[in-house]
Amino acid sequence: MRIVTEQSQSYSFTRRALMLGGAQAAVGLMLAGRMTWLAVAENERYRLASENNRVNMTLVPPRRGWIVDRHGAPIANNRTDFRVDLIPDRLVDVDKVLAELSQLLALPPEQIERIKTDLKHARGLQPVQVMENLDWERFAAVSVRLPEMPGVAPTRGFARNYPAGAAVAHLTGYVGAASATQYQKTKDPLFVTPGFKLGKDGLEKALETTLRGDAGAKRVEVTARGKLVRELETKIDTPGRTVRLTIDAGLQEYAARRLGTNSGSAVVIDCDSGDILAMVSMPAYDPNSFSDGISHMEWKMLSDDDHVPLMNKTLQGLYPPGSTVKPMNALALLHAGVDPQARVNCSGAMRVGTGVFHCHKRGGHGAIDMKNAVMQSCDIYFYEMIRRVGYDAIAPIAREVGLGQKFELPFDSQRYGTVPDSAWKLKKYKDAWTIADGLNASIGQGYVLANPFQLAVMAARIGSGRQLKPRLVMNGKVPTAPPLSATPEQLAIVRDAMFGVINQGGTGGRARLLVPGVAMAGKTGTAQVRRISMAERAGGVLKNGQLPFKMRDHALIVGFAPADKPKYAMAIVLEHNGHITASLDTPLIGRDIMTFMFDRERAMASLAEFEPTWGGDIPTRAAAQAAAFRATADAPAPVVGAATETKATQPTAAPAVEAATDAANASAEALAHDAATGNGVAQVTGSPEPQ
């Protein structure tokens, strides 16, 4: 039995007290250390967390830099915009919120259905547009009710605006909200900020880093329930930089209107600097509609249109250039040593081996020299001369003046065409070049393909005598262009022949300018796009007016003015125009577009005379087309049609453009095959000219 003494009890108590005191001290030290850690080391973290509970911060989308023309006129600018969006991840009761918004904003039922459809396709923080271009009263009515409507994001900012609409669509492209894929790739919070849009096509896409600017930030103090207390300081956004183009906005809009109801393009270039003054593809979409979020109905209407308004025809369209290459051919013949006074007898047909090659003038032109061959567009002259020198002597000059050439332009949708020769054919088809290949190429058919921009460069280089480099963005001094390999005397002969085409009884007489003291030199052309069967050939080839749209010939013109001292050059290509209507044909369109450069009042008077006969100006015709489409069986139901199109790609890469490109490639391949097998354009019809 253990005896417990007073001394042992005292010792045991003291030991327990020490242990308990030590434990208390350790806990105290831990608490003090933790408090010190929180107060000192973690101070900034918890201060920010507290601040975030008290203060909400949202990014402010930067104002995009303007795109202006050579004179400073806006091509793409910004307008003040009050808008309301929904953030899917922040919505609690969708139906309740939509009911509130419907009452506050007076939304029609089809818009409510459109918003519901868009919400189904939206992801996470990707904003869904409810309405934009709101007046202040409705915007304020939504803003004061935000605590009752979680997920609603009213935004006061700027929206992109294109004053000329469709006239600049394929030049500027458009802006749009970032896709969920783009956000996932970058994780940039700006991409899911309501109201932010980035370039989707054209210059808006190519110059995105220059135009975007830097975002600002807005801070507001809120209660625990999220109710606004007051606005705090705001970091101002930094606007993007303004980009100045070489384009003349007045000319751009005029050319778009003057093309009328055609499917075609027009390019105008300054012969002194290489500056691109106009670059028009019509018909086109309205970039304002795309920037707002294009509806399903409008996307379907554009996609189904056989005039392919989604395609940038100036750079993506490839066409046989037809007789517009004859001045270039003449320059190449002079370079190869052909005497311009040498004559060829044109009887209307020429036999080469077992084949017969025709001139567009069945009775023939008789004995004809180089100048008159260009003026009258005589096929036999060029068949014979190019048969003598070989097309391999023509191809280098064709490339030198711009055909088949790639130009450094801020677009990612260029197609460059073909300047064929014997080496090219051997590489592509593993087959030798034939005389028939050369004869078809001599009239701009067969394997020869060019886009309208290249044809404009060709006209500018022949007019200036220099290898001008086209320029679209004004960014410093214009580089000095080296001269062409042709001599001044050779260029003078070709320019004189082009002067005769329009002013001395040639095929382009209707293109003669009505401006006193100013003459235009040029060359018209026609390009066949369909195969002509032996049966049709035997019974008589059908006229363009008897054919459906897609089977008609293309119409072309190139030119420059003044003829004696070229300042402006142009090219116009009209798809399947067929030279059917004079006011919508290349000679009168070319005349008026060039007249605009010297006498704007006279050019506008001509437009005022013709435009009403086509159904009015561009917006008027677009509205009529939309109304007509709504009445067709192909139009989607109103609710479906009003929904935002979720599968819309950038226009220049749209399925409709790819389909049109594939069809054009197949047609070109078929015509080239015909030429190789003895049934090409040269053998069948020659190169007809506008009557």
Side-chain angles (χ1 to χ4, degrees):
M1 179 177 178
R2 184 180 178 185
I3 299 174
V4 178
T5 65
E6 183 179 347
Q7 185 177 4
S8 66
Q9 285 182 328
S10 175
Y11 174 77
S12 176
F13 175 79
T14 302
R15 188 178 60 180
R16 288 197 300 270
L18 287 173
M19 291 177 63
L20 183 60
Q24 289 175 332
V27 171
L29 286 173
M30 288 176 61
L31 290 173
R34 179 62 177 167
M35 290 176 66
T36 303
W37 174 261
L38 293 175
V40 179
E42 295 282 273
N43 176 273
E44 184 67 12
R45 174 187 169 190
Y46 286 101
R47 188 186 68 80
L48 290 176
S50 174
E51 183 74 0
N52 285 338
N53 285 334
R54 184 181 70 89
V55 177
N56 283 344
M57 186 176 73
T58 57
L59 291 176
V60 177
R63 289 161 286 175
R64 267 181 104 71
W66 285 24
I67 300 175
V68 300
D69 83 339
R70 64 191 300 108
H71 307 298
I75 293 176
N77 58 11
N78 305 314
R79 55 175 168 77
T80 302
D81 181 41
F82 296 105
R83 60 181 292 128
V84 173
D85 295 282
L86 295 177
I87 309 301
D89 267 8
R90 297 175 183 169
L91 284 170
V92 177
D93 188 335
V94 175
D95 292 334
K96 180 182 177 182
V97 167
L98 289 180
E100 287 280 344
L101 290 176
S102 176
Q103 184 176 0
L104 292 172
L105 302 177
L107 295 173
E110 59 267 23
Q111 283 300 326
I112 295 295
E113 291 302 318
R114 190 271 301 169
I115 295 167
K116 288 181 178 179
T117 302
D118 289 354
L119 283 171
K120 290 177 183 177
H121 295 287
R123 297 180 184 176
L125 297 174
Q126 183 183 4
V128 170
Q129 177 183 308
V130 175
M131 182 176 282
E132 64 178 3
N133 298 327
L134 287 170
D135 55 64
W136 169 251
E137 288 73 17
R138 288 189 291 174
F139 178 78
V142 173
S143 297
V144 298
R145 290 171 174 81
L146 286 183
E148 307 161 19
M149 298 185 294
V152 176
T155 307
R156 179 171 46 189
F158 296 89
R160 203 57 161 169
N161 179 54
Y162 305 93
V168 299
H170 289 295
L171 176 69
T172 61
Y174 67 102
V175 297
S179 66
T181 303
Q182 288 173 312
Y183 173 70
Q184 291 298 329
K185 184 177 179 181
T186 64
K187 296 296 183 181
D188 187 339
L190 182 60
F191 280 28
V192 291
T193 301
F196 172 73
K197 293 178 179 178
L198 71 166
K200 294 284 190 173
D201 205 357
L203 292 177
E204 293 279 24
K205 180 180 179 182
L207 304 177
E208 173 66 22
T209 54
T210 301
L211 295 169
R212 182 186 297 182
D214 296 318
K218 181 172 68 174
R219 301 172 71 241
V220 295
E221 185 176 354
V222 295
T223 66
R225 294 179 177 273
K227 186 175 181 180
L228 176 67
V229 175
R230 61 189 172 115
E231 287 194 9
L232 304 176
E233 70 275 11
T234 297
K235 176 189 172 186
I236 303 299
D237 63 293
T238 303
R241 296 197 298 276
T242 294
V243 174
R244 187 181 176 196
L245 304 182
T246 61
I247 294 292
D248 181 326
L251 174 64
Q252 178 82 11
E253 187 168 1
Y254 181 84
R257 292 175 64 184
R258 188 59 188 85
L259 287 175
T261 57
N262 279 298
S263 172
S265 54
V267 180
V268 181
I269 295 178
D270 188 306
C271 290
D272 292 333
S273 61
D275 286 355
I276 304 165
L277 303 178
M279 195 174 179
V280 179
S281 175
M282 294 298 291
Y285 58 90
D286 184 349
N288 294 299
S289 294
F290 268 77
S291 295
D292 293 343
I294 192 166
S295 69
H296 179 65
M297 191 211 77
E298 189 171 356
W299 176 257
K300 181 169 175 53
M301 181 180 71
L302 292 169
S303 298
D304 291 353
D305 192 332
D306 63 359
H307 284 36
V308 201
L310 298 172
M311 176 185 279
N312 181 358
K313 299 176 181 70
T314 59
L315 296 175
Q316 289 182 287
L318 290 182
Y319 311 93
S323 295
T324 60
V325 297
K326 286 175 179 173
M328 178 275 296
N329 288 344
L331 193 64
L333 291 173
L334 291 168
H335 190 264
V338 171
D339 182 354
Q341 303 301 322
R343 293 174 177 266
V344 170
N345 184 55
C346 172
S347 63
M350 183 178 94
R351 180 172 291 278
V352 178
T354 59
V356 177
F357 295 80
H358 295 276
C359 185
H360 69 88
K361 186 175 182 181
R362 288 307 185 192
H365 293 96
I368 194 166
D369 61 10
M370 181 179 287
K371 177 180 178 178
N372 282 286
V374 174
M375 285 175 53
Q376 302 303 325
S377 202
C378 177
D379 298 325
I380 300 298
Y381 177 88
F382 288 99
Y383 294 156
E384 175 57 26
M385 288 300 185
I386 289 176
R387 184 185 67 81
R388 294 179 189 178
V389 304
Y391 197 78
D392 280 2
I394 308 297
I397 302 300
R399 298 186 186 105
E400 187 180 32
V401 298
L403 301 188
Q405 190 170 342
K406 178 180 179 179
F407 300 106
E408 296 302 321
L409 297 174
F411 298 95
D412 58 4
S413 56
Q414 298 182 62
R415 300 176 67 214
Y416 307 111
T418 304
V419 176
D421 57 20
S422 56
W424 171 87
K425 186 180 179 185
L426 190 62
K427 181 179 180 181
K428 182 174 177 64
Y429 293 104
K430 306 296 187 290
D431 201 0
W433 187 266
T434 67
I435 293 177
D437 293 331
L439 271 54
N440 277 285
S442 74
I443 59 170
Q445 294 274 179
Y447 297 114
V448 184
L449 290 172
N451 67 40
F453 188 80
Q454 291 169 334
L455 295 178
V457 172
M458 177 183 73
R461 289 184 174 180
I462 292 176
S464 68
R466 294 178 294 127
Q467 297 181 51
L468 293 172
K469 295 196 175 187
R471 182 177 71 147
L472 184 59
V473 178
M474 285 194 167
N475 51 4
K477 188 177 179 181
V478 177
T480 302
L484 296 174
S485 59
T487 66
E489 293 76 19
Q490 292 168 346
L491 287 165
I493 291 169
V494 172
R495 292 174 190 149
D496 182 50
M498 295 176 73
F499 174 84
V501 168
I502 293 175
N503 304 283
Q504 294 177 332
T507 57
R510 282 186 173 178
R512 183 180 300 174
L513 298 186
L514 303 178
V515 181
V518 182
M520 179 166 68
K523 184 70 189 79
T524 54
T526 305
Q528 183 180 305
V529 298
R530 69 188 182 97
R531 305 178 74 175
I532 298 175
S533 66
M534 296 298 290
E536 182 184 344
R537 184 174 171 184
V541 177
L542 295 174
K543 301 293 185 182
N544 279 290
Q546 301 170 285
L547 297 169
F549 172 73
K550 283 290 188 180
M551 298 182 73
R552 298 172 190 164
D553 296 338
H554 297 321
L556 311 92
I557 189 171
V558 299
F560 49 79
D564 56 344
K565 192 176 181 182
K567 172 61 178 171
Y568 307 110
M570 70 167 187
I572 298 169
V573 179
L574 306 179
E575 293 183 337
H576 311 295
N577 172 272
H579 306 298
I580 293 175
T581 304
S583 67
L584 289 169
D585 200 1
T586 47
L588 291 187
I589 293 175
R591 179 200 71 182
D592 287 350
I593 289 177
M594 191 61 80
T595 295
F596 187 88
M597 303 308 298
F598 299 98
D599 189 337
R600 297 196 173 195
E601 288 187 10
R602 194 184 297 268
M604 292 302 297
S606 179
L607 178 63
E609 175 187 353
F610 293 133
E611 198 168 45
T613 67
W614 310 325
D617 60 13
I618 296 171
T620 301
R621 295 200 309 271
Q625 182 186 16
F629 183 76
R630 287 191 195 97
T632 66
D634 290 335
V639 171
V640 176
T644 303
E645 176 55 54
T646 59
K647 296 181 180 179
T649 60
Q650 66 182 61
T652 50
V657 174
E658 293 181 2
T661 299
D662 290 343
N665 289 342
S667 175
E669 194 70 25
L671 289 173
H673 177 267
D674 284 350
T677 55
N679 194 33
V681 176
Q683 292 98 317
V684 179
T685 60
S687 58
E689 289 290 322
Q691 299 300 312

